[in-house]
Amino acid sequence: MIEALSDLPRFAASAEPVLVQGETGTGKELVARALHGLGPRAQTAFVAVNCGAIPETMLEAELFGHEKGAFTGADQTRKGAFESAHGGTLFLDEIGELPLPAQAKLLRVLEDGLVTRLGSHQGRKVDTRVVAATNRNLEAEVAAGRFRQDLLFRLNTHQVKVPPLRERLSDVPLLAEHFLRKSHLAYQKRTLGLSDKSLELCLHYRWPGNIRELENVIERGVILTDSNESISQDALFAVSPELMESPN
């Protein structure tokens, strides 16, 4: 992680796009927030949009805004994410889910800094730094015709690759301690933390869901463990990790 994040301060000082790549649950949004917080835009807006969670019919309006009457239900003019993040950072999560027409418009905004709301022909100048993230192989998506090569080149000015948790298992104790503190506060209780056997299990588990899975496992352990008791293996996992990882 130290190597992966070593260039963040230099990237943060730039206004150019950054592409954050990594599996689901590795903490890509945290990297985006770190980029925002380390740079000159730290005191400005950070706007996050999950491109895979918005219906395709509404995605362009969400990103670029719309004028009143632009489509059925548009009863008032509304800024999009680019305008809302003006002067700050726009985090586009799951950029690989973006449909091709929206990709073309995004490329245009990145090239000339002008946003055109749906239902308008007037471009509006925006100063918005874009950080995009994906768990997909965008080179393969380009080859398959699902992602624009010119947009990939534009987004890939700076690149950060976040390694999966299985490749940095030495981080598990530190992350587990962080999530323990978080869960203790949320549930107003204090356990004795992971038992020795539980920690050993966590250090040998492959974590297919990465850091997000670890957080959920620790939260489950805190919920199922009484105050002043150690968190057992059974409290952590609803199903034995050996069974979860079995090909059968």
Side-chain angles (χ1 to χ4, degrees):
M1 281 298 290
I2 292 174
E3 181 180 353
L5 302 181
S6 61
D7 288 328
L8 283 195
R10 285 187 284 272
F11 293 168
S14 166
E16 292 299 311
V18 176
L19 180 62
V20 184
Q21 293 184 298
E23 295 178 7
T24 297
T26 50
K28 297 186 291 296
E29 182 169 346
L30 290 177
V31 173
R33 289 185 180 276
L35 279 163
H36 178 72
L38 288 169
R41 300 170 184 257
Q43 302 305 315
T44 60
F46 179 93
V47 177
V49 175
N50 186 331
C51 299
I54 301 171
E56 185 173 336
T57 54
M58 295 300 298
L59 191 53
E60 290 188 24
E62 183 71 23
L63 291 177
F64 311 118
H66 62 78
E67 295 291 339
K68 181 178 180 180
F71 51 84
T72 302
D75 54 1
Q76 60 183 358
T77 297
R78 182 175 178 272
K79 289 182 179 180
F82 268 95
E83 289 185 78
S84 297
H86 176 67
T89 301
L90 175 60
F91 175 55
L92 297 177
D93 198 10
E94 304 300 347
I95 190 73
E97 303 286 343
L98 205 63
L100 287 169
Q103 290 179 31
K105 290 191 175 183
L106 174 58
L107 178 63
R108 194 176 310 125
V109 176
L110 292 175
E111 291 289 352
D112 58 27
L114 292 174
V115 167
T116 303
R117 296 174 182 171
L118 294 181
S120 172
H121 299 291
Q122 177 186 354
R124 290 173 168 80
K125 192 71 174 177
V126 291
D127 173 24
T128 303
R129 203 274 176 86
V130 171
V131 179
T134 183
N135 60 4
R136 294 189 179 190
N137 182 329
L138 292 186
E139 288 80 3
E141 294 295 297
V142 169
R146 292 187 292 264
F147 202 84
R148 293 178 63 106
Q149 187 176 51
D150 47 4
L151 178 57
L152 175 58
F153 290 154
R154 190 70 185 90
L155 290 171
N156 208 19
T157 305
H158 302 308
Q159 185 182 108
V160 178
K161 290 188 176 181
V162 185
L165 187 54
R166 64 181 173 274
E167 293 181 5
R168 46 186 172 111
L169 289 172
S170 60
D171 287 350
V172 167
L174 183 63
L175 290 167
E177 185 62 32
H178 168 71
F179 293 134
L180 277 168
R181 289 195 298 269
K182 184 178 177 181
S183 291
H184 286 161
L185 183 63
Y187 294 100
Q188 293 296 296
K189 63 194 298 188
R190 185 167 186 81
T191 70
L192 297 179
L194 301 180
S195 69
D196 290 343
K197 288 185 177 180
S198 295
L199 179 58
E200 186 68 17
L201 178 62
C202 288
L203 289 170
H204 288 87
Y205 181 49
R206 298 286 291 171
W207 299 107
N210 291 295
I211 296 174
R212 186 175 298 137
E213 182 183 11
L214 174 60
E215 180 176 12
N216 292 339
V217 163
I218 295 297
E219 183 178 12
R220 169 187 161 85
V222 169
I223 291 171
L224 296 181
T225 303
D226 293 332
S227 293
N228 300 314
E229 296 288 338
S230 295
I231 299 174
S232 68
Q233 298 179 58
D234 290 341
L236 286 179
F237 293 97
V239 180
S240 168
E242 290 80 4
L243 293 177
M244 287 192 290
E245 294 184 326
S246 170
N248 296 320

